[in-house]
Amino acid sequence: TLFPYTTLFRSGGVGDSSRAFISSIIYNLVLFGLKMVGVKVCLAGVSFEPMTRRELLVTRFRRAICHSFSVRDKESARYLESQGIPVDGIAPDLSFNLYDEPAQMTGPRDIATAYSFRADRGLDMERLSALAMDLIDASPAGSIHAVVSQVGRDNAAMYSLYEKLSASYGPDRIIFVDCHQSMDDASAI
């Protein structure tokens, strides 16, 4: 039985927030309870980056609970194994190749570039917007570019990037796509 994996344990880490750490421990206890009644808990397709001690503690506990523990990529597997946390395999992002036919997309179909960044990773948004501008400048005149928000907590930062790019290149060339609540929209973009 596959038990759904939630956002309480984001991309292999809970960060420095005590609230998120406690929530992750409680979530682990719920998963442990499910394991005790016979549910096979599986983790599939989650990426891991360098973690704090608390995050490693949560991950070790989660690993002990899981029947199957498959990460998204080789880098995550190498990192976890270097921390003494074994993985069972690699399961790429499960949102790819969902449909036999491409989903119908509303709006421009010929998007030259799309930008989507995790705003909670401490990235320098000024540097990222400069990178986006360099790529847009190198694209054909009149090409369309998208700023995509895949996760609700990234909406504000992605919209800010959209506003900056839209002010520089015009709203006819830059579109904002918030697809965090719709798998169909995410697949389409």
Side-chain angles (χ1 to χ4, degrees), residues 42-53:
C42 300
L43 176 138
V46 177
S47 62
F48 289 85
E49 298 171 350
M51 294 182 278
T52 65
R53 284 183 179 193

Side-chain angles (χ1 to χ4, degrees), residues 37-82:
V37 297
V39 174
K40 291 183 177 177
V41 179
C42 300
L43 176 138
V46 177
S47 62
F48 289 85
E49 298 171 350
M51 294 182 278
T52 65
R53 284 183 179 193
R54 290 194 293 187
E55 292 171 319
L56 285 167
L57 175 69
V58 169
T59 303
R60 283 189 179 94
F61 185 26
R62 178 101 16 114
R63 174 60 189 109
I65 296 166
C66 289
H67 170 76
S68 176
F69 197 85
S70 298
V71 297
R72 179 179 298 184
D73 50 58
K74 290 178 184 176
E75 292 80 15
S76 294
R78 277 193 295 270
Y79 172 68
L80 287 178
E81 289 177 354
S82 77

Side-chain angles (χ1 to χ4, degrees), residues 96-103 187:
F96 291 108
N97 300 319
L98 293 175
Y99 307 99
D100 292 333
E101 298 176 22
S187 180

Side-chain angles (χ1 to χ4, degrees), residues 81-165:
E81 289 177 354
S82 77
Q83 299 300 312
I85 303 169
V87 300
D88 294 320
I90 296 173
D93 190 327
L94 302 176
S95 65
F96 291 108
N97 300 319
L98 293 175
Y99 307 99
D100 292 333
E101 298 176 22
Q104 296 300 316
M105 185 173 138
T106 57
R109 302 190 120 249
D110 298 322
I111 296 174
T113 60
Y115 306 95
S116 182
F117 303 108
R118 293 303 309 275
D120 61 352
R121 298 284 183 226
L123 299 174
D124 180 350
M125 291 306 285
E126 287 301 316
R127 202 168 123 208
L128 293 174
S129 65
L131 168 68
M133 290 176 154
D134 288 346
L135 292 171
I136 293 169
D137 290 340
S139 298
S143 58
I144 297 170
H145 307 268
V147 176
V148 182
S149 178
Q150 299 178 65
V151 182
R153 65 184 175 269
D154 294 336
N155 276 356
M158 290 300 93
Y159 195 77
S160 176
L161 177 62
Y162 159 75
E163 288 179 320
K164 183 171 188 162
L165 296 176

